[in-house]
Amino acid sequence: MKAIPAATVHRMDRPHPCDVCFQSRFCLPIALPQDELGRMRDIMHNTMRIPKGERLFETGQPMDKVFSVHAGSFKSVVTSPDGRQQIVGFHVPGEMMGLEGFSTRVYMTDVVALEDSEACEIDVRALESSARELPTLQHQIHCLIGNRLARAQQDQFVLGSMQADERLARFLLDLSERYKARGLSPDEFVLRMSREEIGSYLGLKLETVSRLMSRFHQAGLIHVAQRQVKITDREGLAELLVPSER
Amino acid sequence: MKAIPAATVHRMDRPHPCDVCFQSRFCLPIALPQDELGRMRDIMHNTMRIPKGERLFETGQPMDKVFSVHAGSFKSVVTSPDGRQQIVGFHVPGEMMGLEGFSTRVYMTDVVALEDSEACEIDVRALESSARELPTLQHQIHCLIGNRLARAQQDQFVLGSMQADERLARFLLDLSERYKARGLSPDEFVLRMSREEIGSYLGLKLETVSRLMSRFHQAGLIHVAQRQVKITDREGLAELLVPSER
DNA sequence: CGTTGATTTGAATATCCTCAACGTGCGTGG
DNA sequence: CCACGCACGTTGAGGATATTCAAATCAACG
C-alpha cells in the first residue's frame, strides 16, 4: 500500500472532514456532543492519501482499523475462493469502510480507491474503549454497522428481485441521493467507476449496463456522455422501480 | 403477534439456550467470561413461543429488542415500496435477528417463524448499557453485527456472480455447515422452508429450484425426498462452486 | 377419499450474456 | 500539433440460462 499520511493534527476550532461520519444526518437522530467529538478526534490517527487503484486494505489482513472516506471514492470487493470478484459497495465521503471486519477481526473485502482519495484511519481498540465511556458514540457505532447491514440487505433485494433496468435506475437514484446528502449536486455528477464496475456491483455485464445507459438516454430519463451523468427525468427513473406501473 | 412468553426465569447452574449466541464458536475467539454471562442472562428477558407463520417483528416497528433463535427457525424478509418481497436470510438456533435495526432503530425486515419456534428477547437498551461495563460483551456485539454484515456481503456475491446451480449448491452446503456447528447432522436434515422460499433467498423461481434439486439427485450429489435432504457427495457439490473445473 | 397446497416436469419464451466489431477519448511521444 | 496506442465504451447478432405458463403428481389432512 502506497498510502502516505497527509495530516495527523486536527484543530478543534474547525470541522474535521471526518466529523461528518459521527454526526446526525448520515446516521442517528442524535448528533455526537461536542466533548465526545473531541475524543473522537483523538483516535482519528491520521489521514491517508490513497492513489487511484491502490488498496486501502485487503481480504485476510487483521482488522485493527476502520476508515472513513475523507475525499474521493472507493469500492469494496469480495473475492471467492475460485478467484471471481464482485463489488459489494461503493463509498463516498462520510461513509465508513472496513466494518465487516468486526466479524472475525479480519477484513473480508478489498477496498480500492476509484480515484485519488483520502481516508481517515480510526483505531478499533481506541474506538471501542472510547465507546465504553461515551454512550452516544457507542450508539453511533452500532448505527454505522447496522446501516451497512441494512444497505447490504437492500442490495440483496436488488440483486435477487429486480430486473436489469430497475437495478441501474436504482443505482443512479441511490448515487444521486448520497451525493445530495453530502451537499453535492443530485442531478449532475461524474461516475467514478467504469461500466464494468457498475455491472459487477449490479450483477450485470458491462455491455448490459452500457445498453441500458443508452436506452435511458434515448428515453429522455438521463443525459449521459461517458461518465458524465445528468438526471433529466427523476420521476421517469423512479417509475422503473415500480414494474406494476409499466 | 401471537407470541407467548414461554419462560422468564433462567438458572445459572445449567446452560441457557441463548448462551450460545455469546460464546466463542459462533463468533469470537474469546468466550464470554462466566460473570459476564450472568449479566447477559439478566437482560434476556424472556423466551417467546412463535407459532409457524407468525411474525416476530415487522418492518417499520421501533427496534427496542434483538432476538436470538432458541429453537426452530426463522426467515428475514425485505419488502420493497411496491410490495415485492425477498428473503434475505434464514436463521437457525444460536443466531441473532433484528440486528439491521441498529441502523435507524426501526426494524428493516419482517421476521417470520418457519415452524413453531422459540426466540429469546434481548432488550437493546439493557444490552448497550451492559456492554459499556463488559468489554467482552461489547466486542461480541460488534462481532455479531459484523458477522451478519459479512454474511450479507457473501450473499451479494452469490446473487450477483453465481449461476443457479452454484447458488443452490452453496445454499445446501452452507445450511449443512450451520447445522454441523450446532451439533446437528450435517449430512441429513429437513428443509424448514419451501422451494419458493429457497428460490426467493437465492434469486430464483421455485421451478428452477425444484429442477436443480432433481438434477442434483440424479447426479448422485444428494438424496432428496420432499424436504428431507441427504448429502451423499459433498465433494461433488463443492465442485459446483468452482466453475473453472467443469 | 376428496380437497388443498406443494412439488415436479415439460415446452415455449424472455432476458441477459457472449462474442465480435467498431467508436471515442485521452495521454504519450514523435 | 498530430499520430498512435490503449483503455473504455457502444452496438449488433446469436445463444444460453432461467422464467413463464401449463399440466400432472404427490403428500398431508380432515
Side-chain angles (χ1 to χ4, degrees):
Chain A
M1 185 166 65
K2 285 193 207 154
I4 309 135
T8 54
V9 179
H10 311 304
R11 297 175 51 187
M12 279 302 292
D13 55 352
R14 55 180 175 184
H16 182 285
C18 292
D19 288 353
V20 91
C21 308
F22 296 98
Q23 283 169 354
S24 60
R25 56 192 180 137
F26 297 130
C27 199
L28 277 188
I30 308 163
L32 209 57
Q34 194 60 27
D35 58 326
E36 302 204 7
L37 209 49
R39 282 292 304 271
M40 275 313 300
R41 297 236 184 136
D42 294 341
I43 61 177
M44 288 179 189
H45 285 313
N46 57 51
T47 302
M48 327 275 284
R49 287 191 209 285
I50 315 291
K52 177 175 178 174
E54 292 290 326
R55 274 200 285 265
L56 184 56
F57 55 79
E58 61 191 80
T59 307
Q61 283 179 346
M63 180 269 205
D64 47 3
K65 299 181 180 64
V66 293
F67 300 87
S68 72
V69 183
H70 179 136
S73 47
F74 295 84
K75 62 177 175 182
S76 287
V77 183
V78 297
T79 306
S80 71
D82 61 318
R84 283 181 290 177
Q85 294 198 319
Q86 168 152 355
I87 294 173
V88 294
F90 296 111
H91 311 288
V92 301
E95 295 178 345
M96 280 285 200
M97 303 178 291
L99 298 174
E100 84 289 343
F102 275 114
S103 152
T104 53
R105 300 290 154 150
V106 161
Y107 295 114
M108 308 288 282
T109 56
D110 293 1
V111 164
V112 180
L114 293 174
E115 58 192 307
D116 290 350
S117 301
E118 293 179 16
C120 187
E121 190 180 292
I122 298 167
D123 185 82
V124 170
R125 289 177 60 87
L127 185 67
E128 286 184 330
S129 86
S130 298
R132 258 173 259 134
E133 297 164 42
L134 310 175
T136 316
L137 176 59
Q138 180 198 36
H139 213 236
Q140 198 77 329
I141 293 170
H142 293 171
C143 171
L144 284 164
I145 315 183
N147 242 337
R148 281 289 300 134
L149 176 55
R151 177 168 280 278
Q153 289 185 341
Q154 289 298 315
D155 287 345
Q156 267 184 267
F157 178 86
V158 170
L159 290 167
S161 299
M162 290 178 126
Q163 305 216 342
D165 55 352
E166 304 177 64
R167 293 186 207 183
L168 186 62
R170 202 204 85 118
F171 172 74
L172 292 171
L173 290 172
D174 178 52
L175 215 54
S176 167
E177 253 178 49
R178 285 155 76 187
Y179 284 137
K180 186 179 179 183
R182 274 143 198 94
L184 305 169
S185 167
D187 293 320
E188 208 164 353
F189 46 86
V190 176
L191 297 173
R192 289 353 286 213
M193 65 295 283
S194 69
R195 300 290 188 263
E196 182 167 18
E197 287 168 326
I198 296 172
S200 172
Y201 174 60
L202 296 177
L204 302 169
K205 292 296 157 185
L206 67 94
E207 295 95 328
T208 306
V209 174
S210 178
R211 269 184 257 272
L212 288 170
M213 288 280 200
S214 304
R215 184 133 62 84
F216 287 0
H217 183 110
Q218 281 168 0
L221 302 174
I222 59 176
H223 186 281
V224 54
Q226 308 301 125
R227 297 193 178 186
Q228 185 74 39
V229 173
K230 186 175 180 179
I231 296 179
T232 51
D233 182 3
R234 187 172 294 271
E235 299 293 307
L237 265 187
E239 273 170 30
L240 286 179
L241 303 183
V242 191
S244 58
E245 295 186 8
R246 284 192 278 180
Chain B
M1 183 167 66
K2 287 195 209 152
I4 310 137
T8 54
V9 179
H10 310 303
R11 299 176 49 186
M12 279 303 291
D13 54 353
R14 54 180 177 185
H16 182 286
C18 293
D19 288 353
V20 90
C21 309
F22 296 97
Q23 282 170 355
S24 61
R25 56 190 179 141
F26 298 131
C27 199
L28 278 186
I30 308 164
L32 208 57
Q34 193 61 25
D35 57 328
E36 302 205 6
L37 210 49
R39 281 292 304 270
M40 273 314 301
R41 298 233 184 141
D42 294 341
I43 62 175
M44 289 179 188
H45 284 314
N46 57 53
T47 303
M48 326 275 285
R49 287 192 208 286
I50 316 290
K52 176 175 177 174
E54 292 290 324
R55 274 200 284 266
L56 184 57
F57 55 79
E58 60 189 82
T59 307
Q61 283 179 348
M63 179 269 206
D64 47 3
K65 299 180 179 65
V66 292
F67 300 87
S68 72
V69 183
H70 178 138
S73 48
F74 295 83
K75 61 178 174 181
S76 287
V77 183
V78 297
T79 306
S80 72
D82 61 318
R84 282 181 292 177
Q85 295 198 318
Q86 169 152 355
I87 294 172
V88 294
F90 295 111
H91 312 288
V92 301
E95 296 179 344
M96 281 285 199
M97 304 177 290
L99 299 173
E100 84 288 342
F102 276 114
S103 151
T104 53
R105 299 290 153 151
V106 160
Y107 296 114
M108 308 288 281
T109 55
D110 294 0
V111 164
V112 180
L114 293 173
E115 59 192 306
D116 292 349
S117 301
E118 293 179 16
C120 187
E121 191 181 291
I122 298 167
D123 185 82
V124 170
R125 290 177 59 87
L127 185 67
E128 286 184 329
S129 86
S130 298
R132 258 172 261 134
E133 297 164 41
L134 310 175
T136 316
L137 176 58
Q138 180 199 35
H139 212 236
Q140 198 77 331
I141 293 170
H142 293 171
C143 170
L144 283 165
I145 316 185
N147 242 338
R148 280 289 301 135
L149 176 56
R151 176 168 280 277
Q153 288 184 342
Q154 288 299 316
D155 287 346
Q156 267 184 267
F157 178 86
V158 170
L159 290 168
S161 299
M162 290 178 126
Q163 303 214 338
D165 55 351
E166 305 177 64
R167 294 186 207 182
L168 186 62
R170 202 203 85 117
F171 171 75
L172 292 171
L173 290 171
D174 178 51
L175 214 54
S176 166
E177 253 179 47
R178 285 155 75 189
Y179 284 136
K180 185 179 180 183
R182 275 144 195 93
L184 305 169
S185 166
D187 292 321
E188 205 164 354
F189 46 84
V190 176
L191 298 173
R192 282 5 271 218
M193 65 295 283
S194 69
R195 301 290 188 263
E196 183 167 18
E197 286 168 327
I198 296 171
S200 172
Y201 175 61
L202 296 176
L204 303 171
K205 292 296 159 186
L206 67 95
E207 295 96 328
T208 306
V209 174
S210 177
R211 270 184 256 271
L212 288 170
M213 288 281 199
S214 304
R215 184 134 61 85
F216 287 0
H217 183 109
Q218 281 168 1
L221 301 173
I222 58 176
H223 184 282
V224 54
Q226 309 301 127
R227 298 192 178 184
Q228 184 74 41
V229 173
K230 185 174 182 178
I231 297 179
T232 50
D233 182 3
R234 187 172 295 271
E235 299 292 308
L237 266 186
E239 273 169 31
L240 285 179
L241 303 183
V242 190
S244 58
E245 295 187 6
R246 285 191 280 179

